[in-house]
Amino acid sequence: MKRFAITAITAISLAALTSSGAFAQGKTRAEVYQELQELESVGYDPSMGDGGNSYPDDIQAAEAKVAARHQAERSAALGLSQTRQTTPTP
């Protein structure tokens, strides 16, 4: 019986670890912190919790803004690199 309890506790512990979003995605603490800073830079406030009854809409909106920002940055970088390639050098 004791062995069964230890096995069950171990299985539950492993399940909890692997179900963690950051762990499952293989992200470091620094990467998660960077993502949080990006979300906060577009207006997301994690301290609001579910008090405003807007979760998960608020974080999804912030994620969309961050994705749009990244897309704009990629497009700008791509546009600059294409302009440089097509401009003839004297």
Side-chain angles (χ1 to χ4, degrees):
M1 184 68 175
K2 191 174 191 179
R3 185 174 189 165
F4 175 76
I6 291 172
T7 303
I9 290 172
T10 303
I12 291 170
S13 298
L14 287 174
L17 280 175
T18 57
S19 68
S20 168
F23 183 80
Q25 294 177 11
K27 294 182 181 180
T28 65
R29 178 177 284 182
E31 290 169 330
V32 172
Y33 183 71
Q34 175 65 31
E35 286 182 8
L36 178 59
Q37 285 181 322
E38 283 185 313
L39 291 170
E40 288 176 335
S41 76
V42 295
Y44 176 66
D45 185 4
S47 67
M48 294 298 292
D50 198 19
N53 295 326
S54 58
Y55 182 83
D57 296 333
D58 56 350
I59 194 167
Q60 289 171 343
E63 288 172 336
K65 289 178 186 177
V66 169
R69 178 190 290 171
H70 288 180
Q71 181 62 39
E73 290 170 352
R74 281 191 297 272
S75 295
L78 228 173
L80 288 176
S81 66
Q82 287 179 351
T83 303
R84 289 181 186 158
Q85 290 175 358
T86 59
T87 305
T89 53

